[in-house]
Amino acid sequence: MLSGKTAIVTGGSRGIGAACARKLASLGADIAVIYAGIAEKAAEVCTACEAFGNRARAYQCDVADFDAVKQTVAAVRAELGSVDILVNSAGITRDGLVAAMREADFDAVIDTNLKGTFNMIRHCARLFLRTGHGRIVNISSVAGVIGNAGQANYAASKAGVIGLTKSVARELAPKGITCNAVAPGFVATDMTAALALSDEQLRAAVPLGRMARPEEIADAVAFLAQSDYITGQVLCVDGGIAI
Ligand code: NAP
C-alpha cells in the first residue's frame, strides 16, 4: 500500500498516465497530475483520485521546460508535503518516414519524451536523495526496444529513455532509489486512436491479438513503484510484440 506517499504522474490527465494516477490513488497515494494543456481532463482525473480518499492536485507544466519543471516539483512538495514516486508518462508522437522527417518534429519528440523525462528525474532526484527513498517509473515503448518504421524520432526518444533509466538506476541504487521502465505496445488511448487499426491488423502485429487497456500498463507501473528490489529493468507490457 502507498498510504502517506505522494506520486507525481506526468501526462496524468489522459491515457496511460491517467490510469496510473487512478491506480496509485487506489493504493493510497496522494497524486500530482502534470498535464500540458487540457485542464478539464486533469481535473477529472483529480476527482477520480480523490474518490479514493486521497489528495490530488493538477499542475500545468511543459515537461520539456527545465525551469518550469523545477518550479512545478517545488510546488508539489510545498502543497503535498513530499515526493516519493515519479511516473513519467508524458509523451507525444510526430510520425513520418525518416527521409522526409521535419527537423522540428524530431526535436519536439526528443524534447518532450526524453528531455522531459530527464527534467523530471533531475529535479525529483534531489528530493529523493534528501529523503533516501524514491521510486521512478518511466514509460518507454516497444518502439524503443525493437524500433518501428515511421517512428525514428519516437523510437530514438524511447530508446533514450531506456538508457536514461538504466543509468539513473545504477547511479541512485546505492541511495536506495529505484528506476525502472515499462515498455507498452499498442494501448487504447488518444495516441493510438488515429491509427484506426483493424482487428485483423492487430492480430498480425500483436501475438495476444489485441491492444492493451491503459489499466494493464498501470498495473505494471504500480508493481514497479512498490518493489524495493527491482531496478534498471525494462518491463515489456506489449502483448508479446517484442518476443
Ligand atoms: P495520450 O493519451 O496522448 O496522453 C498524453 C499525455 O501527455 C497527456 O496527459 C498530455 O497532457 C501529456 N503531455 C503531452 N505533452 C506534454 C508536455 N510537453 N508536458 C506535459 N505533459 C504533456 O498518450 P498515452 O497513449 O497515454 O501515452 C502515454 C505514454 O505512453 C507516452 O509516453 C507514450 O509515448 C507512451 N506509450 C503509449 C503507447 C500507446 O499505444 N498509447 C504505447 C507505448 C508507449 P494534455 O492532456 O494536457 O495534452
Side-chain angles (χ1 to χ4, degrees), residues 5-96:
K5 307 283 188 200
T6 297
I8 294 181
V9 184
T10 76
S13 54
R14 290 191 283 128
I16 293 169
C20 292
R22 290 190 299 265
K23 177 71 184 185
L24 296 175
S26 78
L27 294 168
D30 291 333
I31 305 294
V33 169
I34 292 182
Y35 67 100
I38 307 178
E40 301 75 25
K41 293 284 183 188
E44 283 173 23
V45 175
C46 286
T47 302
C49 291
E50 284 167 344
F52 293 103
N54 310 304
R55 295 180 295 170
R57 303 276 186 280
Y59 301 85
Q60 192 283 325
C61 172
D62 178 359
V63 295
D65 183 332
F66 187 86
D67 292 329
V69 168
K70 181 179 183 181
Q71 287 167 17
T72 301
V73 171
V76 173
R77 182 162 176 264
E79 288 192 285
L80 296 176
S82 69
V83 180
D84 306 284
I85 298 164
L86 169 64
V87 178
N88 284 303
S89 187
I92 60 170
T93 53
R94 296 282 187 276
D95 296 351

Side-chain angles (χ1 to χ4, degrees), residues 2-239:
L2 297 173
S3 304
K5 307 283 188 200
T6 297
I8 294 181
V9 184
T10 76
S13 54
R14 290 191 283 128
I16 293 169
C20 292
R22 290 190 299 265
K23 177 71 184 185
L24 296 175
S26 78
L27 294 168
D30 291 333
I31 305 294
V33 169
I34 292 182
Y35 67 100
I38 307 178
E40 301 75 25
K41 293 284 183 188
E44 283 173 23
V45 175
C46 286
T47 302
C49 291
E50 284 167 344
F52 293 103
N54 310 304
R55 295 180 295 170
R57 303 276 186 280
Y59 301 85
Q60 192 283 325
C61 172
D62 178 359
V63 295
D65 183 332
F66 187 86
D67 292 329
V69 168
K70 181 179 183 181
Q71 287 167 17
T72 301
V73 171
V76 173
R77 182 162 176 264
E79 288 192 285
L80 296 176
S82 69
V83 180
D84 306 284
I85 298 164
L86 169 64
V87 178
N88 284 303
S89 187
I92 60 170
T93 53
R94 296 282 187 276
D95 296 351
L97 297 175
V98 70
M101 186 171 283
R102 295 189 319 132
E103 183 184 12
D105 288 339
F106 188 87
D107 289 347
V109 169
I110 297 292
D111 284 352
T112 299
N113 298 5
L114 179 54
K115 189 173 173 230
T117 302
F118 160 73
N119 286 341
M120 291 301 308
I121 292 172
R122 162 69 173 76
H123 294 298
C124 287
R126 295 177 70 86
L127 302 181
F128 294 158
L129 286 168
R130 239 177 267 159
T131 59
H133 177 85
R135 298 283 172 265
I136 303 166
V137 186
N138 301 317
I139 307 298
S140 177
S141 166
V142 70
V145 178
I146 60 172
N148 194 24
Q151 288 196 309
N153 50 357
Y154 182 78
S157 74
K158 294 300 186 177
V161 165
I162 291 172
L164 179 65
T165 299
K166 293 184 181 216
S167 299
V168 169
R170 284 185 184 276
E171 193 173 313
L172 299 183
K175 307 293 181 190
I177 299 160
T178 69
C179 184
N180 292 286
V182 172
F186 292 108
V187 188
T189 69
D190 295 343
M191 185 176 274
T192 49
L195 297 176
L197 293 168
S198 67
D199 288 348
E200 194 179 358
Q201 285 171 313
L202 278 172
R203 275 194 296 273
V206 186
L208 284 176
R210 64 170 178 86
M211 284 200 185
R213 291 178 289 106
E215 289 73 18
E216 292 175 303
I217 311 304
D219 286 345
V221 169
F223 167 69
L224 291 170
Q226 293 178 97
S227 171
D228 293 333
Y229 205 66
I230 300 174
T231 197
Q233 297 304 303
V234 181
L235 180 52
C236 290
V237 187
D238 63 356

